[in-house]
Amino acid sequence: MYRLKEDTMAELEIKKSRFLCYLHKSFSEADAKEFIQQIKKLHPNARHHCYAFIIGEQNELQRSNDDGEPQGTAGVPMLECLANRQMQDTVAVTVRYFGGIKLGAGGLIRAYSKSVSNALDQAVITQKQKRLVYSMTFSYELIGKLDHYFRQNEVTVLDKDYGEQVTYLWMCKEPLDADMAEITNGRFLPEFIEERIVDVEV
C-alpha cells in the first residue's frame, strides 16, 4: 500500500472544462470531510466538487460523491483510480469548472479518473517498509570509514553522540553485523535496538 508524503494539486483541461484534483493524506473521515469543505470554499464558483477517499489499515472506509455529475461518472472512477494505484489514507477532490461542452458519461468517467491519476503521477508517494534500528559505540578514527559506508549503503543515521568514544544510532534494511565487523576489524559490533515501520519515498 502507498500513501502521499504531502498534499498535491494537478490540473487538466478537457474540452474547455478545467479539472483541478487535490490530494490529501487523511487518517479519519472527519479530517477527510474537513479537507473537502476547504476545497469547496477555495472554489465557490466551480460547477462540481467531486470526491473519493480510502482510509484505514484495511482500507475499510471508502466513500465517493458525484456532486451533481451523472451518477457513477465522477466519484466512483476517482475511487477506483485510488484503489488501482493501491493508495491508502488518501482523499481526492476534483473541482470542475464547466467549459460549455458536454463530455458524455464515458468522457466524464475518463476525465475524473485521469484527474486523479495525473495528480498521483505528480505526487511524492511513500510506502510502509520495515527498518531495523541499531546502536554502536566505536573509536573516533573510524568515523570517516563508517560515514562513507553509510552514505554508500543508504543507511540513515538517526543520532550521533560524541563522548570518550562515538555512538551512532542508525536505521537500515538488513543487519550490518558482518560489515561492521569487517570495517572495525572485529573490535566493535552493533547492538540491535528495535524494528520500526516507516514511510519511505518510492
Side-chain angles (χ1 to χ4, degrees), residues 3-165:
R3 284 190 180 132
L4 297 168
K5 183 176 182 182
E6 56 202 16
D7 287 4
T8 303
M9 191 281 283
E11 182 174 346
L12 282 176
E13 186 171 313
I14 300 172
K15 293 185 178 179
K16 297 185 179 178
S17 278
R18 290 172 61 214
F19 294 85
L20 289 75
C21 182
Y22 292 83
L23 300 176
H24 172 69
K25 181 162 64 177
S26 181
F27 296 101
S28 70
E29 186 166 11
D31 177 76
K33 288 182 174 177
E34 183 180 326
F35 179 73
I36 293 161
Q37 291 305 315
Q38 287 175 8
I39 301 305
K40 285 184 175 182
K41 288 176 184 174
L42 197 61
H43 296 278
N45 299 319
R47 176 76 67 92
H48 305 282
H49 308 83
C50 307
Y51 67 80
F53 56 81
I54 297 177
I55 295 171
E57 280 297 318
Q58 306 299 324
N59 298 335
E60 56 268 23
L61 196 60
Q62 301 192 21
R63 301 278 187 274
S64 65
N65 190 290
D66 297 312
D67 193 42
E69 293 283 27
Q71 186 175 353
T73 62
V76 169
M78 291 171 67
L79 186 65
E80 287 177 348
C81 183
L82 290 177
N84 289 339
R85 297 285 285 265
Q86 298 181 51
M87 295 304 297
Q88 191 173 54
D89 300 321
T90 304
V91 53
V93 184
T94 296
V95 175
R96 182 188 183 191
Y97 285 93
F98 184 55
I101 300 172
K102 291 188 176 181
L103 303 181
L108 286 171
I109 290 168
R110 286 190 296 275
Y112 280 100
S113 179
K114 190 176 180 183
S115 74
V116 176
S117 180
N118 183 51
L120 287 171
D121 287 344
Q122 295 186 36
V124 179
I125 305 294
T126 66
Q127 184 181 34
K128 282 184 183 177
Q129 293 185 11
K130 183 178 76 174
R131 289 292 184 269
L132 307 174
V133 179
Y134 284 89
S135 172
M136 189 171 80
T137 300
F138 55 93
S139 54
Y140 275 80
E141 73 267 14
L142 291 169
I143 289 176
K145 276 186 177 181
L146 285 171
D147 285 350
H148 176 74
Y149 174 87
F150 288 158
R151 280 195 302 272
Q152 295 295 313
N153 292 278
E154 297 180 5
V155 176
T156 304
V157 179
L158 304 172
D159 189 46
K160 298 179 179 182
D161 181 55
Y162 300 97
E164 286 188 18
Q165 291 188 307

